Amino acid sequence: MKTFDHLNVIGLREWIGLPGLGIDQILAKVDTGARTSALHASNIETFDRHGETWVRFDAHVGSQKKPRSQRCEAVLVEYRSIRSSNGQLQERHVIRTPLVLGDRCWPVYFTLTCRKAMRYRVLMGCTAMLEGELVIDPGRRFVQEKPLTSLFAVDS
């Protein structure tokens, strides 16, 4: 039988941090059916900074019942065509920013999209799980401690 000794176990729901965006804690749904992670964003606009294309957006970090947003900026990596859960093809902005889960941190690609009808503001896709060397226990939630974003200094 194969073991997962070198992998970290996570549940279907986990608290993560996105320190590069100034987000200390946000609830994420683990979604093995999604290749790329997704972040609920609105008011998305691109701009030029020192010859690079950046994106400015409002990240929705609250819940449906307690909405809260935070203005964020990140380097635009690319535009990517993504098939949403309802089957529609969407052109989305893609950023790469550090993700903190428990006491670990690694860079993750996120698409920016409207998730206002969805319960969770963040989806953690399978690429992030592979790069983070994670394995999912589907019967558990909140396996990892809340993120320790203060351990990871991020330059703006």
Side-chain angles (χ1 to χ4, degrees):
M1 175 179 259
K2 292 183 180 183
T3 62
F4 299 108
D5 294 334
H6 71 286
L7 301 175
N8 290 300
V9 177
I10 61 172
L12 284 178
R13 312 287 183 270
E14 293 289 346
W15 287 99
I16 65 167
L18 302 172
L21 302 177
I23 299 170
D24 290 330
Q25 293 180 2
I26 189 168
L27 186 58
K29 176 184 176 187
V30 176
D31 185 353
T32 59
R35 181 177 303 152
T36 309
S37 300
L39 175 64
H40 180 30
S42 62
N43 301 318
I44 301 167
E45 59 185 15
T46 57
F47 65 98
D48 184 71
R49 178 178 285 162
H50 309 296
E52 285 185 303
T53 303
W54 282 60
V55 62
R56 182 179 295 126
F57 57 95
D58 292 328
H60 296 272
V61 296
S63 64
Q64 286 177 328
K65 292 181 181 178
K66 292 184 179 179
R68 191 168 51 92
S69 65
Q70 180 166 324
R71 196 73 171 153
C72 300
E73 294 181 351
V75 173
L76 178 66
V77 174
E78 65 182 349
Y79 292 98
R80 192 178 295 171
S81 293
I82 303 286
R83 190 162 307 278
S84 68
S85 59
N86 64 11
Q88 287 186 316
L89 202 58
Q90 300 174 335
E91 190 77 8
R92 296 186 188 173
H93 299 80
V94 179
I95 63 169
R96 186 168 169 95
T97 192
L99 180 145
V100 176
L101 178 62
D103 61 356
R104 301 189 60 232
C105 181
W106 69 99
V108 172
Y109 290 102
F110 283 90
T111 64
L112 305 178
T113 186
C114 178
R115 295 185 50 79
K116 68 181 175 185
M118 307 296 184
R119 177 180 288 168
Y120 298 96
R121 301 305 188 220
V122 175
L123 285 183
M124 186 189 312
C126 61
T127 302
M129 291 178 261
L130 288 169
E131 291 173 349
E133 298 183 333
L134 305 173
V135 65
I136 304 157
D137 181 342
R140 297 178 67 192
R141 294 164 66 178
F142 310 111
V143 174
Q144 299 296 320
E145 297 291 323
K146 286 196 174 181
L148 302 172
T149 53
S150 60
L151 296 177
F152 303 98
V154 177
D155 295 330
S156 298

